[in-house]
Amino acid sequence: MQRLLVLDTCTTHVQGGLIMNGQWEHFFSTDKPALESLFTGLEPIFKKANMGGATAIAYACGPGSTLGLRVTATAIRTWKSLPENATLPLFAYQSLPMAAA
């Protein structure tokens, strides 16, 4: 069972969630800044299991909010420093081409 943790903090509209087998298992979206909303939005996912049982992480790497990108980068670096998450694959995507598609 594949579970992808998706994080997008490039804009003022922070979004994220957990995709399982191509469907959103959990999704959040807020207009609050990333520093205030990223961890609150992920809390229900993380309460279920370590990293929500994610088998990979995808994150928007820009262009966009410098603070949002730094918050996400710090969170991912911290999560990956835990032994149980060290081998989680990371996938970066650029938000601008995705929005244009």
Side-chain angles (χ1 to χ4, degrees), residues 3-4 25 30 55 80 86 91:
R3 283 191 164 136
L4 179 65
E25 183 176 308
T30 180
T55 56
K80 295 269 297 170
F91 301 97

Side-chain angles (χ1 to χ4, degrees), residues 1-4 18 45-46 48-56 88:
M1 181 168 33
Q2 299 295 313
R3 283 191 164 136
L4 179 65
L18 192 65
I45 296 170
F46 286 11
K48 291 181 182 181
N50 175 50
M51 300 286 296
T55 56
L88 280 179

Side-chain angles (χ1 to χ4, degrees), residues 19-40:
I19 297 176
M20 184 173 72
N21 298 326
Q23 300 291 322
W24 286 106
E25 183 176 308
H26 178 83
F27 177 80
F28 74 91
S29 180
T30 180
D31 289 333
K32 292 182 181 177
L35 188 58
E36 297 174 23
S37 63
L38 180 63
F39 302 105
T40 304

